[in-house]
Short mmCIF file of all heavy atoms in Angstrom, two decimals:
data_model
loop_
_atom_site.label_atom_id
_atom_site.label_comp_id
_atom_site.label_asym_id
_atom_site.label_seq_id
_atom_site.Cartn_x
_atom_site.Cartn_y
_atom_site.Cartn_z
N MET A 1 105.29 106.28 109.94
CA MET A 1 105.99 105.00 109.83
C MET A 1 107.16 105.15 108.86
O MET A 1 107.00 105.66 107.76
CB MET A 1 105.02 103.93 109.31
CG MET A 1 105.61 102.54 109.36
SD MET A 1 104.42 101.30 108.80
CE MET A 1 104.55 101.50 107.03
N ALA A 2 108.31 104.71 109.27
CA ALA A 2 109.50 104.84 108.42
C ALA A 2 109.53 103.77 107.34
O ALA A 2 109.06 102.65 107.55
CB ALA A 2 110.76 104.74 109.28
N VAL A 3 110.05 104.16 106.21
CA VAL A 3 110.16 103.27 105.05
C VAL A 3 111.61 103.26 104.62
O VAL A 3 112.30 104.28 104.69
CB VAL A 3 109.28 103.80 103.90
CG1 VAL A 3 109.44 102.95 102.65
CG2 VAL A 3 107.82 103.84 104.32
N THR A 4 112.09 102.10 104.16
CA THR A 4 113.44 102.01 103.63
C THR A 4 113.38 101.62 102.15
O THR A 4 112.67 100.68 101.79
CB THR A 4 114.27 100.96 104.40
OG1 THR A 4 114.34 101.37 105.77
CG2 THR A 4 115.67 100.85 103.84
N VAL A 5 114.08 102.39 101.34
CA VAL A 5 114.14 102.10 99.91
C VAL A 5 115.60 102.00 99.49
O VAL A 5 116.48 102.59 100.12
CB VAL A 5 113.44 103.20 99.07
CG1 VAL A 5 111.95 103.24 99.38
CG2 VAL A 5 114.07 104.56 99.30
N THR A 6 115.84 101.25 98.43
CA THR A 6 117.18 101.15 97.85
C THR A 6 117.11 101.56 96.39
O THR A 6 116.27 101.04 95.65
CB THR A 6 117.74 99.72 97.97
OG1 THR A 6 117.78 99.37 99.36
CG2 THR A 6 119.14 99.64 97.39
N TYR A 7 117.97 102.50 96.02
CA TYR A 7 118.01 102.99 94.65
C TYR A 7 119.36 102.68 94.03
O TYR A 7 120.38 102.77 94.71
CB TYR A 7 117.82 104.51 94.61
CG TYR A 7 116.51 105.01 95.11
CD1 TYR A 7 116.46 106.20 95.82
CD2 TYR A 7 115.33 104.34 94.84
CE1 TYR A 7 115.25 106.70 96.28
CE2 TYR A 7 114.12 104.84 95.29
CZ TYR A 7 114.08 106.02 96.01
OH TYR A 7 112.89 106.51 96.46
N THR A 8 119.34 102.39 92.75
CA THR A 8 120.57 102.31 91.97
C THR A 8 120.80 103.66 91.31
O THR A 8 119.90 104.21 90.67
CB THR A 8 120.46 101.21 90.90
OG1 THR A 8 120.24 99.96 91.54
CG2 THR A 8 121.73 101.14 90.07
N ILE A 9 122.00 104.20 91.50
CA ILE A 9 122.34 105.52 90.99
C ILE A 9 123.61 105.39 90.15
O ILE A 9 124.73 105.36 90.68
CB ILE A 9 122.53 106.53 92.15
CG1 ILE A 9 121.24 106.59 92.97
CG2 ILE A 9 122.95 107.89 91.61
CD1 ILE A 9 121.30 107.49 94.18
N PRO A 10 123.44 105.29 88.83
CA PRO A 10 124.59 105.00 87.95
C PRO A 10 125.72 106.03 88.04
O PRO A 10 126.87 105.68 87.79
CB PRO A 10 123.97 104.99 86.55
CG PRO A 10 122.53 104.66 86.78
CD PRO A 10 122.17 105.32 88.08
N ASN A 11 125.41 107.27 88.38
CA ASN A 11 126.44 108.31 88.41
C ASN A 11 127.39 108.20 89.61
O ASN A 11 128.36 108.94 89.68
CB ASN A 11 125.80 109.70 88.42
CG ASN A 11 125.27 110.08 87.05
OD1 ASN A 11 125.42 109.34 86.10
ND2 ASN A 11 124.64 111.24 86.96
N ILE A 12 127.13 107.30 90.54
CA ILE A 12 128.06 107.13 91.66
C ILE A 12 129.35 106.51 91.14
O ILE A 12 129.32 105.44 90.53
CB ILE A 12 127.44 106.22 92.75
CG1 ILE A 12 126.27 106.92 93.42
CG2 ILE A 12 128.51 105.82 93.77
CD1 ILE A 12 125.50 106.05 94.40
N SER A 13 130.46 107.22 91.39
CA SER A 13 131.74 106.70 90.91
C SER A 13 132.81 106.63 92.00
O SER A 13 133.85 106.01 91.80
CB SER A 13 132.26 107.55 89.76
OG SER A 13 132.41 108.89 90.17
N CYS A 14 132.58 107.27 93.14
CA CYS A 14 133.59 107.25 94.20
C CYS A 14 132.94 107.61 95.53
O CYS A 14 131.75 107.92 95.60
CB CYS A 14 134.72 108.23 93.87
SG CYS A 14 134.22 109.96 93.96
N HIS A 15 133.76 107.63 96.59
CA HIS A 15 133.22 107.91 97.91
C HIS A 15 132.74 109.35 98.05
O HIS A 15 131.87 109.64 98.87
CB HIS A 15 134.26 107.57 98.99
CG HIS A 15 134.43 106.11 99.18
ND1 HIS A 15 133.51 105.34 99.84
CD2 HIS A 15 135.39 105.26 98.74
CE1 HIS A 15 133.90 104.07 99.82
NE2 HIS A 15 135.04 104.01 99.15
N HIS A 16 133.30 110.24 97.24
CA HIS A 16 132.81 111.62 97.27
C HIS A 16 131.35 111.69 96.85
O HIS A 16 130.57 112.49 97.37
CB HIS A 16 133.65 112.53 96.35
CG HIS A 16 134.91 113.00 97.00
ND1 HIS A 16 134.93 113.95 97.98
CD2 HIS A 16 136.19 112.62 96.81
CE1 HIS A 16 136.18 114.15 98.36
NE2 HIS A 16 136.96 113.36 97.67
N CYS A 17 131.01 110.87 95.88
CA CYS A 17 129.62 110.84 95.41
C CYS A 17 128.70 110.42 96.56
O CYS A 17 127.66 111.04 96.80
CB CYS A 17 129.47 109.86 94.26
SG CYS A 17 130.43 110.27 92.80
N ILE A 18 129.09 109.38 97.26
CA ILE A 18 128.29 108.90 98.39
C ILE A 18 128.17 110.00 99.44
O ILE A 18 127.09 110.26 99.98
CB ILE A 18 128.95 107.65 99.03
CG1 ILE A 18 129.09 106.53 98.01
CG2 ILE A 18 128.17 107.21 100.28
CD1 ILE A 18 127.81 105.84 97.64
N HIS A 19 129.28 110.66 99.71
CA HIS A 19 129.29 111.72 100.71
C HIS A 19 128.33 112.84 100.31
O HIS A 19 127.55 113.32 101.13
CB HIS A 19 130.71 112.26 100.88
CG HIS A 19 130.83 113.34 101.91
ND1 HIS A 19 130.77 113.07 103.25
CD2 HIS A 19 130.97 114.67 101.78
CE1 HIS A 19 130.89 114.22 103.91
NE2 HIS A 19 131.01 115.20 103.06
N THR A 20 128.41 113.26 99.05
CA THR A 20 127.53 114.33 98.57
C THR A 20 126.07 113.93 98.72
O THR A 20 125.23 114.71 99.19
CB THR A 20 127.84 114.63 97.09
OG1 THR A 20 129.20 115.04 96.98
CG2 THR A 20 126.93 115.72 96.54
N ILE A 21 125.75 112.72 98.30
CA ILE A 21 124.37 112.24 98.38
C ILE A 21 123.91 112.22 99.83
O ILE A 21 122.79 112.65 100.15
CB ILE A 21 124.27 110.85 97.73
CG1 ILE A 21 124.42 110.99 96.21
CG2 ILE A 21 122.98 110.15 98.11
CD1 ILE A 21 124.65 109.69 95.48
N LYS A 22 124.75 111.73 100.72
CA LYS A 22 124.38 111.68 102.15
C LYS A 22 124.11 113.08 102.68
O LYS A 22 123.11 113.32 103.36
CB LYS A 22 125.52 111.05 102.97
CG LYS A 22 125.53 109.55 102.96
CD LYS A 22 126.52 109.06 104.01
CE LYS A 22 126.51 107.56 104.10
NZ LYS A 22 127.37 107.07 105.19
N MET A 23 125.03 114.01 102.37
CA MET A 23 124.88 115.37 102.91
C MET A 23 123.58 116.01 102.41
O MET A 23 122.87 116.65 103.17
CB MET A 23 126.07 116.24 102.50
CG MET A 23 127.40 115.80 103.05
SD MET A 23 127.42 115.58 104.85
CE MET A 23 127.40 117.27 105.37
N GLU A 24 123.29 115.83 101.14
CA GLU A 24 122.10 116.47 100.57
C GLU A 24 120.82 115.83 101.10
O GLU A 24 119.87 116.52 101.44
CB GLU A 24 122.15 116.38 99.04
CG GLU A 24 123.27 117.18 98.42
CD GLU A 24 123.07 118.69 98.55
OE1 GLU A 24 121.92 119.13 98.68
OE2 GLU A 24 124.08 119.41 98.52
N LEU A 25 120.80 114.51 101.15
CA LEU A 25 119.56 113.84 101.57
C LEU A 25 119.29 114.03 103.06
O LEU A 25 118.14 114.11 103.48
CB LEU A 25 119.60 112.36 101.23
CG LEU A 25 119.48 112.03 99.74
CD1 LEU A 25 119.45 110.52 99.55
CD2 LEU A 25 118.24 112.66 99.12
N GLN A 26 120.35 114.12 103.85
CA GLN A 26 120.15 114.29 105.29
C GLN A 26 119.58 115.67 105.62
O GLN A 26 119.10 115.87 106.73
CB GLN A 26 121.46 114.01 106.04
CG GLN A 26 121.71 112.51 106.13
CD GLN A 26 123.08 112.15 106.63
OE1 GLN A 26 123.94 113.02 106.81
NE2 GLN A 26 123.33 110.87 106.84
N GLU A 27 119.62 116.59 104.65
CA GLU A 27 119.00 117.90 104.86
C GLU A 27 117.51 117.87 104.57
O GLU A 27 116.80 118.83 104.87
CB GLU A 27 119.67 118.95 103.98
CG GLU A 27 121.06 119.30 104.45
CD GLU A 27 121.69 120.37 103.58
OE1 GLU A 27 120.99 120.98 102.76
OE2 GLU A 27 122.90 120.58 103.71
N VAL A 28 117.03 116.79 103.98
CA VAL A 28 115.61 116.69 103.65
C VAL A 28 114.84 116.29 104.91
O VAL A 28 115.18 115.29 105.56
CB VAL A 28 115.38 115.65 102.53
CG1 VAL A 28 113.89 115.50 102.24
CG2 VAL A 28 116.14 116.05 101.27
N GLU A 29 113.81 117.07 105.23
CA GLU A 29 113.02 116.79 106.43
C GLU A 29 112.35 115.42 106.31
O GLU A 29 111.69 115.13 105.30
CB GLU A 29 111.96 117.87 106.63
CG GLU A 29 111.26 117.74 107.96
CD GLU A 29 110.23 118.84 108.17
OE1 GLU A 29 110.10 119.72 107.32
OE2 GLU A 29 109.55 118.78 109.22
N GLY A 30 112.57 114.57 107.29
CA GLY A 30 111.97 113.24 107.30
C GLY A 30 112.95 112.14 106.94
O GLY A 30 112.70 110.97 107.22
N VAL A 31 114.08 112.50 106.33
CA VAL A 31 115.09 111.49 106.00
C VAL A 31 115.85 111.14 107.28
O VAL A 31 116.39 112.01 107.95
CB VAL A 31 116.06 111.97 104.90
CG1 VAL A 31 117.23 111.00 104.75
CG2 VAL A 31 115.31 112.11 103.58
N LEU A 32 115.86 109.85 107.61
CA LEU A 32 116.43 109.39 108.88
C LEU A 32 117.83 108.82 108.72
O LEU A 32 118.67 108.97 109.60
CB LEU A 32 115.51 108.32 109.49
CG LEU A 32 114.06 108.73 109.71
CD1 LEU A 32 113.26 107.55 110.21
CD2 LEU A 32 113.96 109.90 110.68
N HIS A 33 118.05 108.12 107.60
CA HIS A 33 119.32 107.40 107.48
C HIS A 33 119.65 107.20 106.00
O HIS A 33 118.76 106.89 105.21
CB HIS A 33 119.20 106.05 108.19
CG HIS A 33 120.52 105.36 108.36
ND1 HIS A 33 121.49 105.81 109.22
CD2 HIS A 33 121.03 104.25 107.77
CE1 HIS A 33 122.54 105.00 109.16
NE2 HIS A 33 122.30 104.06 108.29
N VAL A 34 120.92 107.37 105.65
CA VAL A 34 121.35 107.18 104.26
C VAL A 34 122.62 106.34 104.28
O VAL A 34 123.58 106.68 104.98
CB VAL A 34 121.64 108.53 103.56
CG1 VAL A 34 122.03 108.30 102.11
CG2 VAL A 34 120.44 109.47 103.66
N GLU A 35 122.62 105.25 103.52
CA GLU A 35 123.81 104.42 103.37
C GLU A 35 124.09 104.26 101.89
O GLU A 35 123.16 104.08 101.09
CB GLU A 35 123.56 103.02 103.96
CG GLU A 35 123.70 102.94 105.47
CD GLU A 35 125.09 103.26 105.95
OE1 GLU A 35 126.06 102.94 105.24
OE2 GLU A 35 125.19 103.83 107.05
N GLY A 36 125.35 104.31 101.50
CA GLY A 36 125.67 104.14 100.09
C GLY A 36 126.82 103.18 99.89
O GLY A 36 127.66 103.01 100.78
N ASP A 37 126.86 102.57 98.71
CA ASP A 37 127.94 101.65 98.39
C ASP A 37 128.45 101.96 96.98
O ASP A 37 127.68 101.95 96.02
CB ASP A 37 127.44 100.21 98.48
CG ASP A 37 128.56 99.22 98.24
OD1 ASP A 37 129.43 99.10 99.11
OD2 ASP A 37 128.58 98.61 97.15
N VAL A 38 129.75 102.24 96.89
CA VAL A 38 130.33 102.62 95.60
C VAL A 38 130.31 101.44 94.62
O VAL A 38 129.96 101.60 93.45
CB VAL A 38 131.77 103.13 95.79
CG1 VAL A 38 132.42 103.42 94.43
CG2 VAL A 38 131.78 104.39 96.65
N ALA A 39 130.67 100.26 95.10
CA ALA A 39 130.82 99.11 94.21
C ALA A 39 129.52 98.76 93.49
O ALA A 39 129.51 98.45 92.31
CB ALA A 39 131.34 97.91 94.99
N THR A 40 128.42 98.82 94.24
CA THR A 40 127.13 98.44 93.64
C THR A 40 126.37 99.65 93.11
O THR A 40 125.31 99.49 92.49
CB THR A 40 126.25 97.72 94.67
OG1 THR A 40 126.00 98.61 95.77
CG2 THR A 40 126.92 96.46 95.18
N LYS A 41 126.86 100.87 93.38
CA LYS A 41 126.17 102.11 93.01
C LYS A 41 124.76 102.17 93.58
O LYS A 41 123.83 102.63 92.94
CB LYS A 41 126.15 102.29 91.48
CG LYS A 41 127.53 102.30 90.85
CD LYS A 41 127.42 102.51 89.36
CE LYS A 41 128.75 102.34 88.65
NZ LYS A 41 129.71 103.40 88.95
N ARG A 42 124.63 101.65 94.79
CA ARG A 42 123.32 101.62 95.42
C ARG A 42 123.31 102.47 96.68
O ARG A 42 124.30 102.53 97.41
CB ARG A 42 122.93 100.18 95.78
CG ARG A 42 122.60 99.39 94.55
CD ARG A 42 122.15 97.98 94.86
NE ARG A 42 121.16 97.58 93.88
CZ ARG A 42 119.93 97.19 94.17
NH1 ARG A 42 119.53 97.09 95.41
NH2 ARG A 42 119.08 96.88 93.22
N VAL A 43 122.16 103.11 96.89
CA VAL A 43 121.98 103.93 98.09
C VAL A 43 120.70 103.46 98.78
O VAL A 43 119.66 103.30 98.13
CB VAL A 43 121.89 105.42 97.73
CG1 VAL A 43 121.52 106.25 98.95
CG2 VAL A 43 123.21 105.91 97.15
N THR A 44 120.80 103.23 100.08
CA THR A 44 119.64 102.81 100.86
C THR A 44 119.25 103.96 101.78
O THR A 44 120.09 104.50 102.51
CB THR A 44 119.98 101.55 101.69
OG1 THR A 44 120.34 100.52 100.78
CG2 THR A 44 118.79 101.10 102.52
N ILE A 45 117.99 104.34 101.71
CA ILE A 45 117.50 105.52 102.41
C ILE A 45 116.32 105.12 103.29
O ILE A 45 115.38 104.47 102.81
CB ILE A 45 117.05 106.59 101.41
CG1 ILE A 45 118.20 106.95 100.46
CG2 ILE A 45 116.53 107.84 102.14
CD1 ILE A 45 117.73 107.34 99.08
N THR A 46 116.38 105.51 104.56
CA THR A 46 115.24 105.32 105.46
C THR A 46 114.63 106.68 105.72
O THR A 46 115.35 107.63 106.05
CB THR A 46 115.70 104.66 106.78
OG1 THR A 46 116.30 103.41 106.47
CG2 THR A 46 114.51 104.43 107.72
N PHE A 47 113.31 106.77 105.54
CA PHE A 47 112.66 108.08 105.70
C PHE A 47 111.25 107.90 106.23
O PHE A 47 110.69 106.80 106.24
CB PHE A 47 112.63 108.83 104.37
CG PHE A 47 111.79 108.16 103.30
CD1 PHE A 47 110.46 108.50 103.14
CD2 PHE A 47 112.34 107.20 102.47
CE1 PHE A 47 109.68 107.89 102.16
CE2 PHE A 47 111.57 106.57 101.50
CZ PHE A 47 110.23 106.92 101.34
N GLU A 48 110.70 109.00 106.68
CA GLU A 48 109.32 109.05 107.14
C GLU A 48 108.73 110.37 106.66
O GLU A 48 109.47 111.26 106.21
CB GLU A 48 109.27 108.95 108.68
CG GLU A 48 109.94 110.11 109.38
CD GLU A 48 110.00 109.94 110.89
OE1 GLU A 48 109.67 108.85 111.40
OE2 GLU A 48 110.37 110.92 111.55
N PRO A 49 107.41 110.53 106.71
CA PRO A 49 106.82 111.80 106.30
C PRO A 49 107.42 112.97 107.08
O PRO A 49 107.76 112.79 108.26
CB PRO A 49 105.34 111.63 106.62
CG PRO A 49 105.13 110.15 106.59
CD PRO A 49 106.40 109.56 107.12
N PRO A 50 107.57 114.15 106.46
CA PRO A 50 107.04 114.55 105.16
C PRO A 50 107.87 114.11 103.95
O PRO A 50 107.50 114.43 102.83
CB PRO A 50 107.01 116.08 105.25
CG PRO A 50 108.17 116.41 106.13
CD PRO A 50 108.21 115.29 107.16
N ALA A 51 108.98 113.42 104.16
CA ALA A 51 109.76 112.97 103.00
C ALA A 51 108.97 111.91 102.24
O ALA A 51 108.22 111.12 102.83
CB ALA A 51 111.10 112.39 103.45
N THR A 52 109.12 111.91 100.92
CA THR A 52 108.50 110.89 100.07
C THR A 52 109.55 110.44 99.05
O THR A 52 110.56 111.11 98.86
CB THR A 52 107.29 111.45 99.30
OG1 THR A 52 107.76 112.48 98.39
CG2 THR A 52 106.24 112.05 100.23
N GLU A 53 109.26 109.33 98.40
CA GLU A 53 110.17 108.89 97.34
C GLU A 53 110.31 109.95 96.26
O GLU A 53 111.38 110.17 95.70
CB GLU A 53 109.66 107.59 96.71
CG GLU A 53 109.92 106.38 97.59
CD GLU A 53 109.94 105.11 96.74
OE1 GLU A 53 110.94 104.87 96.05
OE2 GLU A 53 108.94 104.38 96.77
N GLU A 54 109.19 110.62 95.95
CA GLU A 54 109.23 111.64 94.91
C GLU A 54 110.17 112.78 95.31
O GLU A 54 111.00 113.24 94.50
CB GLU A 54 107.82 112.18 94.66
CG GLU A 54 107.77 113.15 93.49
CD GLU A 54 106.37 113.69 93.23
OE1 GLU A 54 105.48 113.45 94.06
OE2 GLU A 54 106.19 114.35 92.21
N VAL A 55 110.07 113.23 96.57
CA VAL A 55 110.94 114.31 97.04
C VAL A 55 112.40 113.88 96.96
O VAL A 55 113.26 114.62 96.47
CB VAL A 55 110.57 114.69 98.50
CG1 VAL A 55 111.66 115.56 99.13
CG2 VAL A 55 109.23 115.39 98.54
N ILE A 56 112.67 112.67 97.42
CA ILE A 56 114.05 112.18 97.45
C ILE A 56 114.60 112.05 96.03
O ILE A 56 115.73 112.47 95.74
CB ILE A 56 114.11 110.84 98.20
CG1 ILE A 56 113.87 111.09 99.70
CG2 ILE A 56 115.45 110.15 97.99
CD1 ILE A 56 113.57 109.84 100.50
N LYS A 57 113.81 111.49 95.14
CA LYS A 57 114.26 111.34 93.75
C LYS A 57 114.50 112.69 93.09
O LYS A 57 115.43 112.85 92.29
CB LYS A 57 113.24 110.53 92.95
CG LYS A 57 113.29 109.04 93.29
CD LYS A 57 112.30 108.27 92.44
CE LYS A 57 112.40 106.77 92.72
NZ LYS A 57 111.47 105.99 91.89
N ASN A 58 113.66 113.67 93.44
CA ASN A 58 113.85 115.00 92.88
C ASN A 58 115.16 115.63 93.36
O ASN A 58 115.87 116.28 92.59
CB ASN A 58 112.67 115.91 93.23
CG ASN A 58 111.45 115.61 92.37
OD1 ASN A 58 111.56 114.98 91.33
ND2 ASN A 58 110.30 116.05 92.83
N VAL A 59 115.47 115.43 94.65
CA VAL A 59 116.73 115.96 95.19
C VAL A 59 117.90 115.30 94.48
O VAL A 59 118.85 115.97 94.05
CB VAL A 59 116.83 115.72 96.71
CG1 VAL A 59 118.23 116.02 97.22
CG2 VAL A 59 115.80 116.57 97.45
N LEU A 60 117.83 113.99 94.31
CA LEU A 60 118.92 113.27 93.65
C LEU A 60 119.10 113.73 92.21
O LEU A 60 120.23 113.89 91.73
CB LEU A 60 118.66 111.76 93.71
CG LEU A 60 118.81 111.16 95.11
CD1 LEU A 60 118.26 109.75 95.15
CD2 LEU A 60 120.27 111.17 95.56
N ALA A 61 118.00 113.97 91.53
CA ALA A 61 118.08 114.46 90.15
C ALA A 61 118.70 115.86 90.12
O ALA A 61 119.53 116.16 89.25
CB ALA A 61 116.71 114.46 89.51
N ASP A 62 118.31 116.69 91.10
CA ASP A 62 118.82 118.07 91.15
C ASP A 62 120.33 118.11 91.34
O ASP A 62 120.99 119.04 90.89
CB ASP A 62 118.16 118.85 92.29
CG ASP A 62 116.75 119.30 91.94
OD1 ASP A 62 116.37 119.21 90.76
OD2 ASP A 62 116.05 119.76 92.86
N ILE A 63 120.89 117.16 92.07
CA ILE A 63 122.33 117.17 92.33
C ILE A 63 123.08 116.26 91.34
O ILE A 63 124.23 115.90 91.56
CB ILE A 63 122.66 116.79 93.79
CG1 ILE A 63 122.19 115.37 94.12
CG2 ILE A 63 122.06 117.82 94.75
CD1 ILE A 63 122.64 114.88 95.50
N ASN A 64 122.39 115.91 90.27
CA ASN A 64 122.99 115.14 89.17
C ASN A 64 123.31 113.69 89.53
O ASN A 64 124.25 113.10 89.01
CB ASN A 64 124.25 115.84 88.63
CG ASN A 64 124.54 115.45 87.19
OD1 ASN A 64 123.63 115.11 86.44
ND2 ASN A 64 125.81 115.47 86.82
N TYR A 65 122.51 113.14 90.44
CA TYR A 65 122.59 111.70 90.72
C TYR A 65 121.22 111.07 90.55
O TYR A 65 120.63 110.56 91.52
CB TYR A 65 123.12 111.46 92.14
CG TYR A 65 124.57 111.83 92.31
CD1 TYR A 65 124.94 112.96 93.02
CD2 TYR A 65 125.56 111.03 91.74
CE1 TYR A 65 126.28 113.30 93.17
CE2 TYR A 65 126.90 111.37 91.87
CZ TYR A 65 127.25 112.50 92.59
OH TYR A 65 128.57 112.83 92.72
N PRO A 66 120.68 111.12 89.33
CA PRO A 66 119.33 110.57 89.13
C PRO A 66 119.29 109.07 89.39
O PRO A 66 120.26 108.35 89.15
CB PRO A 66 119.03 110.90 87.67
CG PRO A 66 120.36 111.08 87.03
CD PRO A 66 121.27 111.63 88.09
N VAL A 67 118.15 108.64 89.89
CA VAL A 67 117.92 107.23 90.18
C VAL A 67 117.63 106.48 88.88
O VAL A 67 116.85 106.94 88.06
CB VAL A 67 116.73 107.09 91.15
CG1 VAL A 67 116.37 105.63 91.37
CG2 VAL A 67 117.03 107.80 92.47
N ALA A 68 118.26 105.31 88.73
CA ALA A 68 117.99 104.48 87.55
C ALA A 68 116.59 103.89 87.67
O ALA A 68 116.12 103.58 88.77
CB ALA A 68 119.02 103.38 87.45
N GLU A 69 115.94 103.73 86.53
CA GLU A 69 114.65 103.05 86.53
C GLU A 69 114.88 101.58 86.86
O GLU A 69 115.70 100.91 86.25
CB GLU A 69 113.99 103.18 85.16
CG GLU A 69 113.55 104.59 84.84
CD GLU A 69 112.54 105.13 85.84
OE1 GLU A 69 111.71 104.34 86.30
OE2 GLU A 69 112.62 106.32 86.17
N GLU A 70 114.12 101.10 87.84
CA GLU A 70 114.27 99.69 88.26
C GLU A 70 113.37 98.83 87.40
O GLU A 70 112.16 98.97 87.42
CB GLU A 70 113.88 99.54 89.73
CG GLU A 70 114.72 100.40 90.66
CD GLU A 70 115.89 99.63 91.24
OE1 GLU A 70 115.92 98.41 91.08
OE2 GLU A 70 116.76 100.27 91.84
N ALA A 71 113.97 97.91 86.66
CA ALA A 71 113.18 97.04 85.79
C ALA A 71 112.20 96.19 86.58
O ALA A 71 111.10 95.90 86.14
CB ALA A 71 114.10 96.14 84.98
N ALA A 72 112.59 95.83 87.81
CA ALA A 72 111.77 94.92 88.60
C ALA A 72 110.64 95.64 89.33
O ALA A 72 109.67 95.02 89.76
CB ALA A 72 112.64 94.19 89.61
N ALA A 73 110.76 96.96 89.48
CA ALA A 73 109.78 97.70 90.27
C ALA A 73 108.59 98.09 89.40
O ALA A 73 108.61 99.11 88.72
CB ALA A 73 110.43 98.93 90.88
N ALA A 74 107.58 97.28 89.38
CA ALA A 74 106.42 97.57 88.55
C ALA A 74 105.20 97.83 89.41
O ALA A 74 105.14 97.37 90.53
CB ALA A 74 106.13 96.42 87.62
CU1 LIG B 1 132.45 110.57 93.03
#
């Protein structure tokens, strides 16, 4: 079953950042769709197994776009 998550990534500063994130995440097995917005610094990712949030967050951290901790996500 596919899941969609939205992450805030403070290091996003331009369209190149979005492009890099898209290219890297689309190489992850199970990632179906990646959308990003420069103005809000948010990326929306749709994925299914074997991809997990942990895998995706690790990839983002590895390419220097770590996900911000969401205050509301408890
Ligand atoms: Cu950039």
Side-chain angles (χ1 to χ4, degrees):
M1 188 178 79
V3 176
T4 299
V5 295
T6 301
Y7 296 143
T8 299
I9 302 177
N11 284 358
I12 291 174
S13 59
C14 69
H15 286 285
H16 278 287
C17 298
I18 301 287
H19 181 74
T20 300
I21 289 167
K22 278 191 177 185
M23 296 307 287
E24 294 291 335
L25 289 183
Q26 283 170 353
E27 288 181 12
V28 177
E29 188 179 357
V31 170
L32 304 176
H33 192 70
V34 183
E35 280 297 327
D37 184 71
V38 175
T40 60
K41 302 182 188 291
R42 288 183 146 238
V43 173
T44 300
I45 303 148
T46 301
F47 65 92
E48 63 185 9
T52 64
E53 284 203 76
E54 186 180 9
V55 167
I56 290 166
K57 285 182 177 181
N58 283 342
V59 169
L60 289 168
D62 282 349
I63 61 173
N64 205 28
Y65 291 107
V67 174
E69 292 300 323
E70 301 265 349

